[in-house]
C-alpha cells in the first residue's frame, strides 16, 4: 500500500468522514478504536503505520528530553537522557541545561569527558588545563566546548537572557547529578584541614555552603578581559583551547539538499573522544543511506521534523519519527538514513565516541564497485547504476 493512503488511514481515525467510500472502509478496519494517547500517536506516525519494508524486532532508538525528569533549581534547570531511561545508548549520555543570566553551573569535574553545543543565548565558560593555565571564553549559539576527563570547569549564563546548551558525555551510564563539586568537597573537609591547605585561619571558612549548590543564581560577570586577567594574575599563559566556533567553519559538504559540518579531533584538537556532525536537511531532502564503521551514533534533534529508518540486518528494519528535543541512537555499523518530513529545515547533531569521524555511503560503495558485480545482485534498470553520483553526497535533494 502506498505511504500516502496509509497516512490517510491514520488521519481518518481523527478526522473521519472526509475520505472516499473505498478508503473509508479500509480506514474503519485500520483506525484505532481502543484507548490511545493521541498526542504521542500523532507525533509518531511511522510507529502505528510503518513503511511496509519495516520488519522484525528492532529495539526503540528514540527517547526525548520532553519526558526526561527535570532538576529545577533557582537560576536554572537540567534534564538528562542516559542509559537508565534509554537502554540502547550505552556509549554516550546527554544533558540539556538552562541557566538564567548570571546563574552558575558550579565549579566541578567528572570522570567522562564533556562535549557541548550551545543552543541559545550566551555563556562564559572557565577551566584550567593540565598545566594549570587559565581558560576563560564566552560562547554563543553554535559554539562547542570540550572538557577532557577530570578537567575542572564552570558555566555561567550571560545577558540578556542566559543560555541553554546540550552536553554529551562519553559514557552512557554517567549522571550529571553525580559530579565532583567544589562546594560539596569543602563541606566534607574538616575546617582545620581547609585552614592548613590554604594557609588561612579557620574563620575564613565560616560561611562556606553546607551542601552542594549545583546550579545557583549570580551576577552577570563584567567584561571577559577583566575575568581573564584576574584568573591569569597578569601572567598570561596560552591554555589548551577547549572551545570551538563551529559556525566559522565552512560546511564540510553542501548540496542542494542541505549541508553538513563535521568536527572531530582533526579540527577541534581538544576533542579527542567525541567526533560530531551538524546536519541540515532542506524540506524534501534526505541524509543518505550510510553507516559508521567505528562508533555508535548519539543524535540530538535541534529543529524541524524527520524520520529515521535503521537497518539492523537479518530482515530487521524500523522507522521512528523525530522532532526538536528528541534523541536518537544508532548502533555501530547499522545502516540508516534520515528524511526531512516537515516544511522547514531539519537540523540535527550526530555525536560519536571516537577521535575521528568516519562514515560509509551505500551509493558511494555501489559507484566504486565493478558495475557488472553490482548488477548481478540488484538488477537495476538499464543505465540506472551509471547515473549514481561518483562523489559522496551526504545529503540528497528531494
Ligand atoms: Mn561538567
Ligand atoms: Mn549517521
Amino acid at each position: 500500500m502506498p505511504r500516502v493512503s496509509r497516512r490517510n488511514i491514520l488521519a481518518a481515525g481523527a478526522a473521519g468522514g472526509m475520505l472516499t467510500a473505498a478508503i473509508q472502509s479500509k480506514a474503519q478496519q485500520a483506525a484505532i478504536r481502543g484507548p490511545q494517547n493521541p498526542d504521542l500517536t500523532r507525533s509518531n506516525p511511522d510507529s502505528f503505520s510503518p513503511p511496509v519494508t519495516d520488519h522484525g524486532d528492532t529495539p526503540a532508538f528514540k527517547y526525548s528530553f520532553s519526558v526526561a525528569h527535570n532538576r529545577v533549581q533557582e537560576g536554572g534547570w537540567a534534564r538528562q537522557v542516559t542509559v537508565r531511561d534509554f537502554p540502547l545508548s550505552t556509549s554516550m549520555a546527554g544533558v540539556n541545561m538552562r541557566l538564567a543570566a548570571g546563574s552558575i553551573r558550579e565549579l566541578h569535574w567528572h570522570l567522562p569527558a564533556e562535549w557541548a553545543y550551545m543552543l541559545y543565548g550566551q555563556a562564559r565558560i572557565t577551566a584550567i588545563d593540565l598545566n594549570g593555565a587559565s581558560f576563560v571564553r564566552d560562547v554563543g549559539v553554535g559554539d562547542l566546548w570540550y572538557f577532557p576527563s577530570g578537567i575542572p570547569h564552570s558555566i555561567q549564563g550571560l545577558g540578556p537572557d542566559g543560555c541553554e546548551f546540550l552536553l554529551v558525555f562519553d559514557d552512557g551510564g554517567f549522571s550529571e547529578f553525580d559530579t565532583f563539586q567544589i562546594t560539596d568537597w569543602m563541606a566534607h573537609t574538616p575546617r582545620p584541614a581547609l585552614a592548613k591547605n590554604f594557609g588561612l585561619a579557620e574563620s575564613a571558612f565560616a560561611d562556606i555552603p553546607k551542601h552542594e549548590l549545583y546550579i545557583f543564581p549570580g551576577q552577570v560577570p563584567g567584561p571577559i578581559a577583566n575575568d581573564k586577567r584576574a584568573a591569569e594574575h597578569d601572567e598570561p599563559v596560552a591554555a589548551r583551547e577547549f572551545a570551538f566556533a563551529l559556525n566559522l567553519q565552512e560546511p564540510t559538504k553542501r548540496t542542494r539538499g542541505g549541508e553538513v559540518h563535521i568536527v572531530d579531533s582533526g579540527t577541534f584538537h581538544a576533542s579527542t573522544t567525541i567526533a560530531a556532525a551538524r546536519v541540515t536537511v532542506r524540506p524534501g531532502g534526505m541524509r543518505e543511506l550510510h553507516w559508521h564503521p567505528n562508533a555508535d551514533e548519539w543524535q540530538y534533534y535541534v529543529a524541524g521534523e524527520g524520520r529515521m529508518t535503521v537497518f539492523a540486518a537479518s530482515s530487521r528494519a524500523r522507522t521512528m519519527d523525530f522532532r526538536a528535543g528528541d534523541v536518537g541512537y544508532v548502533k555501530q555499523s547499522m545502516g540508516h538514513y534520515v528524511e526531512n518530513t516537515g516544511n522547514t529545515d531539519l537540523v540535527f547533531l550526530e555525536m560519536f565516541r571516537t577521535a575521528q569521524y568516519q562514515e560509509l555511503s551505500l551509493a558511494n560503495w555501489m559507484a566504486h564497485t565493478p558495475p557488472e558485480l553490482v548488477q548481478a545482485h540488484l538488477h537495476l534498470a538499464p543505465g540506472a547504476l551509471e547515473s549514481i553520483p561518483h562523489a559522496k553526497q551526504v545529503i540528497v535533494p528531494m
Side-chain angles (χ1 to χ4, degrees):
M1 197 185 306
R3 292 193 58 81
V4 172
S5 69
R6 292 163 57 80
R7 282 296 163 84
N8 287 347
I9 289 172
L10 256 190
M18 308 277 288
L19 304 171
T20 64
I23 298 176
Q24 183 86 56
S25 73
K26 280 191 173 171
Q28 279 163 355
Q29 281 171 31
I32 300 169
R33 293 300 181 215
Q36 66 163 317
N37 180 329
D39 291 342
L40 270 181
T41 303
R42 255 195 304 278
S43 59
N44 295 278
D46 287 287
S47 289
F48 182 67
S49 182
V52 292
T53 43
D54 277 14
H55 181 262
D57 190 13
T58 304
F61 44 82
K62 170 183 171 173
Y63 198 72
S64 183
F65 279 106
S66 296
V67 291
H69 165 74
N70 199 12
R71 178 173 177 176
V72 182
Q73 298 201 190
E74 194 187 352
W77 49 255
R79 45 191 185 165
Q80 64 182 0
V81 173
T82 75
V83 74
R84 287 172 283 280
D85 291 309
F86 189 18
L88 203 61
S89 63
T90 50
S91 72
M92 284 163 282
V95 167
N96 175 210
M97 190 180 294
R98 173 90 166 97
L99 298 172
S103 285
I104 297 164
R105 167 66 178 96
E106 83 159 276
L107 290 156
H108 72 284
W109 75 96
H110 33 72
L111 205 58
E114 170 178 316
W115 182 98
Y117 183 84
M118 279 289 286
L119 296 165
Y120 172 81
Q122 301 271 335
R124 181 162 301 171
I125 55 176
T126 76
I128 59 166
D129 70 11
L130 284 173
N131 298 318
S134 165
F135 172 83
V136 183
R137 288 285 183 285
D138 286 350
V139 289
V141 174
D143 288 342
L144 314 179
W145 71 75
Y146 179 91
F147 295 127
S149 172
I151 290 290
H153 54 279
S154 69
I155 310 156
Q156 185 169 22
L158 299 178
D161 189 30
C163 60
E164 194 179 321
F165 47 88
L166 174 77
L167 305 176
V168 178
F169 300 93
D170 58 2
D171 174 5
F174 174 67
S175 173
E176 162 69 12
F177 307 142
D178 182 17
T179 62
F180 300 97
Q181 322 229 39
I182 194 169
T183 54
D184 196 24
W185 198 7
M186 302 282 265
H188 293 91
T189 305
R191 294 280 164 83
L194 290 176
K196 198 186 291 183
N197 187 70
F198 296 105
L200 295 169
E202 284 185 40
S203 59
F205 304 95
D207 294 329
I208 61 170
K210 292 183 176 59
H211 306 284
E212 68 173 29
L213 296 172
Y214 185 64
I215 289 171
F216 63 101
Q219 297 297 316
V220 174
I224 188 168
N226 297 357
D227 264 6
K228 279 186 168 175
R229 207 176 311 120
E232 288 163 354
H233 298 285
D234 300 317
E235 296 163 2
V237 181
R240 187 84 207 246
E241 184 55 61
F242 293 125
F244 187 85
L246 189 61
N247 290 334
L248 297 183
Q249 177 183 293
E250 282 296 305
T252 313
K253 184 86 188 178
R254 180 184 272 150
T255 68
R256 282 192 301 124
E259 63 188 39
V260 60
H261 288 77
I262 292 168
V263 55
D264 66 11
S265 61
T267 43
F268 183 12
H269 303 302
S271 187
T272 53
T273 65
I274 302 268
R278 182 178 64 192
V279 181
T280 301
V281 185
R282 310 276 175 237
M286 188 172 97
R287 173 82 168 90
E288 69 169 337
L289 277 74
H290 69 281
W291 67 98
H292 307 276
N294 63 340
D296 293 359
E297 171 174 339
W298 197 98
Q299 299 173 333
Y300 177 78
Y301 287 78
V302 178
E305 291 175 44
R307 70 167 160 246
M308 174 164 70
T309 301
V310 173
F311 166 60
S314 306
S315 303
R316 288 172 300 170
R318 181 169 177 178
T319 304
M320 300 189 83
D321 302 277
F322 294 86
R323 52 180 67 189
D326 289 343
V327 174
Y329 198 86
V330 185
K331 286 284 187 191
Q332 184 173 350
S333 276
M334 284 190 181
H336 55 285
Y337 65 94
V338 182
E339 282 178 282
N340 185 340
T341 53
N343 303 315
T344 57
D345 282 0
L346 172 68
V347 182
F348 64 98
L349 304 170
E350 311 173 350
M351 273 66 67
F352 308 86
R353 190 174 68 185
T354 175
Q356 191 193 17
Y357 178 89
Q358 292 183 354
E359 77 165 71
L360 289 158
S361 144
L362 177 62
N364 196 240
W365 178 31
M366 288 166 58
H368 292 94
T369 299
E372 295 76 12
L373 180 60
V374 176
Q375 275 298 65
H377 294 76
L378 298 178
H379 315 295
L380 301 178
L385 189 57
E386 291 72 18
S387 70
I388 293 176
H390 295 171
K392 215 186 256 189
Q393 296 297 291
V394 185
I395 299 160
V396 293
M398 200 165 166

